[in-house]
Amino acid sequence: MNIIPLPNSYRNLPGFFFVTENITINYSQELKPTADMLCLFLEKTTGIKPKQSQYAMINLSLDFSLEYEQYQLFVDTLSIHLAARTNHGAFYGLQTLKQLLTLKDGRHRINCTFIDDRPRFSYRGFMLDVARHFFPKNEIFRLIDLISFHKFNVLHLHLTDDQGWRIESELYPRLTEIGSKRNRTSSRKRKTQDIPHQGFYTKQDLKEIVAYAKSRHIEVIPEIDMPGHMNALIAAYPQTSCLKKEIEVRGSFGISDITLCPGNMDVYQMLTEIIIEIIDIFESPYFHLGGDEVPKKHWKKCPLCQKMIKDNNLKGENGLATYFLNYFGELLKAHNKIPIIWNDGVDSDTAADTVIQHWKPFTRKKTVKEINHGRKAIISDFLYLYLDYPYSMTPLRKTYQFEPIDKNIRNKENILGVEAPLWTEWVPNQYKLDYQIFPRLAAVAEIAWTEKYNKSYEHFINRLDSFYDYYRRMRVNYAQGKEFPPNIIKRCFNVLLWLRDENNELQKKK
Ligand SMILES: [Zn+2]
């Protein structure tokens, strides 16, 4: 069975179904979108377009006994039957079928098989940071095709950060006039970095991205990272920080100690207006508020922040951060959205229905406690699931073998699923983007989709061989030869290189 992610139940059968000139298709009207995609795929791949017929060789039918994302695929030498409860499930059956189709001796054929498949987790996410490096909407479309092929169903867009604001706003036009452009960009090769960078999505772009993703059964979760990681907004509107001084959109990476002022009611007003301006573009029930890496140095000396702490009887600056994030959590809930916050922004006073996105392995105990107290979670441990890490630090096997459900978690249903983020500080173009993501995303796909008891790394790398054919066909610049960890010398060298870059960033910060 050469499928990634591996189906959860299957039986290989003898023989092949051959795609011939007289191939026919029939489908339930509800599954027409998937049937159309299947016809288009067959036409593009084999040159043969199936004709519609009542007694057809390919049949797509509804089966309400199946679960929402489940599909059953039965292939014998004469016919193909794909059954699903929804288009969503049928779409995954189609992705499987795409992988089953092979070319041998000039003939397109599909292995006879019976597959009954559904995902382990309902949340299977990929995150792209478009703030550090902007990627235009066509690139996002391409990625949506690729991640849906891996049966992911969430695209989380990290839309704002110190290095760029990427969302059009009519109410606050300086966000893109000033905030979407920077004059400098850190570079690993040169110390001086006068490389300007800019870009943003219009509301129309975002609507197109959401619609394109929806047609591939992917929901788009927007993130406005606050109250830290906000230098781009502050560069556009300097009154929003505690210091109220002019700053640039940040050219170097690492954490800035300049944040929004959570003591200033005008900041609450402005962010409320921005969120309301864009919230309806996105159909996902989730909205990400960031909340990570918030230096509170300036809050300690800021009269507004200190007054806010006193007036609301908050537990110091940490309490103020939670108060700020809870405020926007309430706003989101009033608009029927569920807030998500990175785990370092969550504490026991964070509203109970806020979802925690766990990324820091060293604070796992605290996250487990939150989950055991009923909080829902998305798992993104950076040592395993961050796609920007070099393969020498996070080789394929390490990612593959990651198990998202900690043995100390009592209520496993609180784990919504997993998400693999790609932070793009050192990812300036599509070439590097592909290299970092693939094939590591295939390993993450198997964590998210395939039941633990069905997983085997050796089996996975055997299947990866034929999966690479699809990458080549789709012109994906995947990282080759990363199936086995690098030798220790190369590994140490790469880790040192990585540490040097991180250290350079820290020095610049000082
Ligand atoms: Zn302040």
Side-chain angles (χ1 to χ4, degrees):
M1 178 56 66
N2 270 335
I3 309 292
I4 292 177
L6 186 71
N8 280 307
S9 170
Y10 63 89
R11 202 167 61 235
N12 290 327
L13 304 170
F16 298 95
F17 174 92
F18 287 95
V19 179
T20 54
E21 286 292 340
N22 57 358
I23 194 164
T24 48
I25 187 167
N26 194 19
Y27 49 84
S28 306
Q29 265 313 305
E30 288 85 347
L31 301 181
K32 186 175 187 303
T34 308
D36 288 346
M37 282 182 188
L38 171 57
C39 290
L40 197 67
F41 167 75
L42 283 175
E43 194 180 359
K44 266 173 100 173
T45 317
T46 67
I48 301 168
K49 192 182 175 185
K51 288 173 207 62
Q52 218 177 322
S53 156
Q54 206 182 341
Y55 303 101
M57 297 169 190
I58 306 175
N59 284 282
L60 278 71
S61 58
L62 286 175
D63 184 341
F64 293 111
S65 72
L66 303 180
E67 288 174 15
Y68 184 72
E69 293 192 298
Q70 188 179 4
Y71 67 90
Q72 287 180 343
L73 181 65
F74 180 68
V75 182
D76 63 22
T77 53
L78 299 173
S79 61
I80 297 173
H81 288 271
L82 174 59
R85 184 193 185 97
T86 61
N87 253 305
H88 202 138
F91 179 82
Y92 294 137
L94 169 59
Q95 304 318 307
T96 296
L97 204 54
K98 281 183 186 175
Q99 292 188 46
L100 284 171
L101 183 76
T102 52
L103 181 65
K104 183 97 198 276
D105 303 327
R107 295 178 80 188
H108 285 97
R109 64 183 203 183
I110 296 167
N111 252 70
C112 292
T113 185
F114 175 72
I115 297 173
D116 181 3
D117 197 16
R118 62 186 150 191
R120 179 181 181 196
F121 293 108
S122 63
Y123 185 112
R124 305 178 299 280
F126 164 71
M127 189 214 83
L128 183 66
D129 165 15
V130 291
R132 273 53 176 271
H133 279 101
F134 176 73
F135 291 90
K137 71 176 172 191
N138 284 336
E139 179 53 31
I140 306 295
F141 293 160
R142 190 186 70 98
L143 282 173
I144 287 170
D145 282 337
L146 284 165
I147 66 172
S148 67
F149 182 64
H150 292 73
K151 301 190 175 89
F152 280 74
N153 62 357
V154 171
L155 171 65
H156 164 187
L157 289 176
H158 182 78
L159 288 161
T160 67
D161 214 301
D162 293 329
Q163 293 80 8
W165 180 279
R166 308 292 175 213
I167 319 163
E168 177 190 37
S169 166
E170 279 148 42
L171 292 173
Y172 294 95
R174 284 171 65 88
L175 285 173
T176 49
E177 285 165 18
I178 308 285
S180 74
K181 301 167 186 169
R182 63 171 183 257
N183 298 324
R184 301 175 302 116
T185 300
S186 282
S187 149
R188 272 181 160 152
K189 291 201 179 96
R190 297 190 304 165
K191 282 212 167 135
T192 50
Q193 320 96 17
D194 298 325
I195 312 163
H197 187 78
Q198 62 172 317
F200 68 91
Y201 304 108
T202 63
K203 287 182 193 166
Q204 184 55 32
D205 289 339
L206 290 170
K207 284 177 192 164
E208 287 173 31
I209 288 170
V210 169
Y212 193 87
K214 191 181 179 184
S215 71
R216 277 129 185 97
H217 306 281
I218 286 178
E219 61 182 64
V220 180
I221 299 178
E223 177 181 353
I224 297 184
D225 198 351
M226 61 177 85
H229 290 276
M230 266 289 173
N231 281 13
L233 179 144
I234 294 166
Y237 297 95
Q239 295 300 312
T240 53
S241 77
C242 297
L243 304 176
K244 295 186 166 43
K245 68 166 192 186
E246 293 205 358
I247 60 166
E248 281 189 336
V249 177
R250 199 172 160 88
S252 61
F253 301 123
I255 305 169
S256 164
D257 63 23
I258 298 174
T259 71
L260 292 177
C261 174
N264 182 349
M265 282 319 291
D266 292 345
V267 170
Y268 290 77
Q269 175 71 24
M270 179 180 177
L271 277 164
T272 298
E273 287 173 4
I274 293 169
I275 289 174
I276 290 175
E277 191 182 347
I278 64 155
I279 199 164
D280 289 336
I281 295 175
F282 302 94
E283 294 178 21
S284 168
Y286 298 105
F287 195 109
H288 209 302
L289 290 174
D292 60 321
E293 300 178 321
V294 188
K296 298 167 183 94
K297 179 175 136 187
H298 301 297
W299 300 8
K300 291 196 169 96
K301 293 179 197 150
C302 169
L304 288 177
C305 285
Q306 291 308 312
K307 186 170 184 305
M308 188 69 96
I309 292 172
K310 204 166 159 244
D311 288 355
N312 293 284
N313 206 10
L314 304 173
K315 292 176 199 155
E317 287 75 27
N318 288 337
L320 180 56
T322 303
Y323 176 84
F324 180 87
L325 289 165
N326 277 343
Y327 180 95
F328 290 101
E330 284 304 315
L331 171 74
L332 291 175
K333 278 177 258 172
H335 288 83
N336 297 318
K337 299 279 182 185
I338 302 162
I340 305 175
I341 294 178
W342 296 105
N343 76 282
D344 48 332
V346 174
D347 66 22
S348 53
D349 291 328
T350 302
D353 38 13
T354 297
V355 173
I356 186 169
Q357 183 164 12
H358 176 78
W359 68 283
K360 282 187 151 175
F362 313 116
T363 54
R364 181 166 264 276
K365 240 182 165 171
K366 208 177 136 203
T367 298
V368 169
K369 203 171 145 196
E370 289 291 331
I371 297 167
N372 284 342
H373 282 156
R375 193 182 295 289
K376 299 261 189 280
I378 299 157
I379 304 298
S380 297
D381 285 63
F382 76 80
L383 288 172
Y384 304 89
L385 298 177
Y386 273 25
L387 303 172
D388 42 300
Y389 273 48
Y391 283 88
S392 49
M393 285 182 76
T394 306
L396 203 54
R397 181 195 285 268
K398 184 173 169 184
T399 299
Y400 186 86
Q401 291 178 338
F402 178 69
E403 167 49 38
I405 298 187
D406 187 290
K407 60 181 188 314
N408 297 313
I409 291 172
R410 287 195 301 271
N411 23 13
K412 296 179 173 54
E413 68 283 358
N414 283 342
I415 307 283
L416 299 174
V418 297
E419 183 176 294
L422 179 73
W423 301 99
T424 57
E425 284 95 334
W426 312 111
V427 183
N429 51 42
Q430 186 197 317
Y431 191 79
K432 188 78 198 311
L433 187 87
D434 280 2
Y435 184 87
Q436 292 301 126
I437 299 177
F438 306 104
R440 224 164 4 195
L441 200 74
V444 182
E446 207 136 302
I447 299 171
W449 184 281
T450 308
E451 296 291 345
K452 193 178 163 189
Y453 52 78
N454 282 330
K455 280 177 71 202
S456 145
Y457 183 69
E458 282 64 34
H459 194 212
F460 170 72
I461 50 169
N462 285 337
R463 281 177 281 130
L464 204 52
D465 246 1
S466 49
F467 205 66
Y468 287 155
D469 281 343
Y470 299 93
Y471 285 162
R472 282 189 284 270
R473 228 178 286 162
M474 291 186 273
R475 294 167 197 262
V476 174
N477 174 47
Y478 66 97
Q480 297 191 34
K482 303 296 176 193
E483 298 78 12
F484 300 98
N487 70 51
I488 190 76
I489 294 166
K490 202 174 167 205
R491 195 164 175 181
C492 289
F493 179 73
N494 274 303
V495 170
L496 285 173
L497 214 64
W498 182 79
L499 284 172
R500 188 202 65 187
D501 289 331
E502 292 294 303
N503 190 45
N504 282 347
E505 285 304 325
L506 280 174
Q507 292 306 321
K508 265 181 243 149
K509 219 174 71 194
K510 285 172 191 161

